[in-house]
Each structure stands twice: as structure tokens, then as C-alpha cells.
Amino acid sequence: KLYNLSVEYFQKDEFELAIQNLGIAIKMDPSRGESYGTLAALHLQKENPYKAKEIALVGSKNAPRYSLNYQVLADIAIKAENLDEAEKYYETAIENTDAPGPIMRQLIFLYIDKGETQRAIEYSDVLLNKYPNDPDLYFNIGVLFQRLALEAFDPARELYLALPNVPTLDDVKPVFDRFSNSRKYAYNARDYFLQASDLEIEGDGSSGRAAIEMRKLMKQIDEIFVPSIREIARSQNIDLN
């Protein structure tokens, strides 16, 4: 009852009352993992990561099978830029929940933050095999490839604008390769967004709009940058293959 009351207070943005009730609930029954996890999440939301971590650690010891405690610890580790620690907590959270999908999606983006792009893509395939009809999953993987596309496109454009008047192979090839990678990622992103749109029973159209944005990016690459780079390469007898 105390836990449920704290949730009601939380929904009303009465955080202090929610915190008080959760503290009492933990004293009355220290084995209930949801009390620790929710209390830790509340402190994290109130920008008190030290208190949140303290509570989540106690919760992980007293209720080791409750995943939210590990998710909070992962979120705290990410804020502290300790990505390896966050990965371990996410993996433990996945092991201790009956609904691992949302946590697995978070792990995909953690791999990206760690610079492990291929690992993120491979893990996406694992998720798709596990949840083949989940439109949110297709959308999130689309966001993954969208992010990769933009991360390749922006530096490519900067390098393109900085090309010298008489460029060499070492000047032109990295620009061409980055634009090629950006287009590949944009194509994949568009495909996943379209699949998400097809699977959605009700939606706000965000998947379709995201697909259109990726098509625009591909069009820029195909009609502006790549032809220009090829022309520059031809003028200098540079082989891009």
C-alpha cells in the first residue's frame, strides 16, 4: 500500500512524499526490489546520483532479481561516462527481467557510444530475431542507423568543403568513403523506418517522416556530393575505386 501510494504521489509530482513513503516501505519489507528501484530512480531524476547509487546498490543486494536497480546503476554509470560499468549493469538487468527488450535497445545505443558500431549492428539482428513484429524496435534500430549516417555525413561535408584546390588521392578518398558510408547507413535507416511504419497499427507518423528525411539525405549525397567528388577526382586523374 505504501509503495502504491508513493507511485500516486510521484504521478502528481509530489516527489518528497513519494520518497518518504518508499523509505518507510523499504524499512517494513527490505526484500521488495521495486521499492529500491523506484526510490533510486526518483533520486536520479532529482539530480542526486550519489543517493540513487547508494539505494540501488542496497537494493541489488537485498533484492538481486529485480532489474530496475541495475538499470538505475547503468544510467548513473553512463552519466559518469563509465560505459564499461554501464554495460555490465545492463547485462545483469537483462538477465533479471521477463521483458528484456527495452533494456536490450538501450544496450545497442551504449555500444554506439562506446564506438562499437559493428557490435551494435549485430546485436540489432539478435533483437530482430527475438521480436520480429515490434514496430518500436524497428524504429529504434532505424534511429541507430540514422545516427551512424549523420555521424559519417557531417565530417564528410566538412572535409569536402576543406578540399584544397589541387587535391591528392589522400585528400579525396576519405571524403568519398565517408559519404559512401553515410549513404549506406541512411539507406538502412530508411528501410527500418519504413518497416516500423508498416507494422504500426496506430502511430503519429514519425516513422514515415524519419524515412523521408533519410531519403533527402541520400538524395543530397547522390545528386550533389558524390558527382562533385567524382568530377574533382577525374580532373586530377584520381582513381576512387
Side-chain angles (χ1 to χ4, degrees):
K1 289 180 180 179
L2 282 165
Y3 176 81
N4 291 337
L5 185 60
S6 70
V7 172
E8 291 179 16
Y9 283 131
F10 172 75
Q11 292 172 343
K12 296 176 183 177
D13 292 335
E14 297 179 10
F15 298 137
E16 293 303 325
L17 288 172
I19 288 171
Q20 289 175 20
N21 278 273
L22 286 168
I24 298 170
I26 287 171
K27 289 180 180 179
M28 293 185 68
D29 189 350
S31 67
R32 297 289 291 270
E34 64 267 30
S35 299
Y36 298 99
T38 306
L39 182 56
L42 265 171
H43 280 294
L44 188 59
Q45 184 168 326
K46 287 174 63 64
E47 301 295 334
N48 191 347
Y50 300 105
K51 188 66 176 177
K53 184 173 184 178
E54 176 187 333
I55 294 166
L57 284 171
V58 174
S60 66
K61 293 176 182 177
N62 292 344
R65 299 294 297 172
Y66 191 72
S67 68
L68 181 57
N69 290 305
Y70 304 111
Q71 293 180 63
V72 172
L73 289 168
D75 292 342
I76 293 168
I78 289 173
K79 286 181 179 290
E81 298 184 357
N82 192 338
L83 302 186
D84 289 336
E85 182 177 287
E87 180 182 345
K88 292 177 183 177
Y89 281 129
Y90 276 143
E91 289 173 346
T92 305
I94 289 168
E95 293 170 1
N96 289 283
T97 181
D98 295 328
I103 310 171
M104 294 172 80
R105 292 172 198 156
Q106 290 175 282
L107 191 53
I108 289 174
F109 290 100
L110 180 64
Y111 290 148
I112 292 295
D113 290 336
K114 292 179 67 177
E116 299 175 1
T117 302
Q118 189 57 41
R119 192 177 180 190
I121 293 171
E122 291 170 358
Y123 200 63
S124 298
D125 291 335
V126 172
L127 270 177
L128 286 174
N129 289 328
K130 193 175 181 67
Y131 307 102
N133 298 312
D134 183 348
D136 290 337
L137 176 56
Y138 281 94
F139 181 82
N140 286 336
I141 295 176
V143 171
L144 158 66
F145 280 103
Q146 179 186 49
R147 180 173 171 180
L148 293 172
L150 294 175
E151 286 180 353
F153 179 81
D154 291 336
R157 182 171 53 185
E158 291 178 10
L159 288 173
Y160 171 82
L161 295 173
L163 283 173
N165 292 329
V166 184
T168 65
L169 175 63
D170 291 337
D171 296 319
V172 177
K173 191 66 165 63
V175 184
F176 180 79
D177 289 344
R178 284 176 183 264
F179 276 123
S180 298
N181 286 334
S182 179
R183 192 198 187 283
K184 177 183 67 176
Y185 291 136
Y187 178 88
N188 288 332
R190 178 175 175 269
D191 187 50
Y192 282 112
F193 286 140
L194 289 174
Q195 291 185 71
S197 182
D198 289 342
L199 288 169
E200 287 174 348
I201 298 174
E202 293 181 2
D204 59 3
S206 57
S207 297
R209 290 193 296 272
I212 291 171
E213 290 303 312
M214 288 297 95
R215 181 68 190 93
K216 289 179 180 177
L217 182 66
M218 291 163 60
K219 191 173 181 179
Q220 280 191 64
I221 295 171
D222 291 344
E223 297 183 2
I224 299 174
F225 292 105
V226 168
S228 176
I229 294 169
R230 288 192 182 279
E231 181 60 33
I232 291 170
R234 278 195 295 269
S235 70
Q236 301 300 319
N237 294 317
I238 295 173
D239 184 4
L240 293 173
N241 298 321

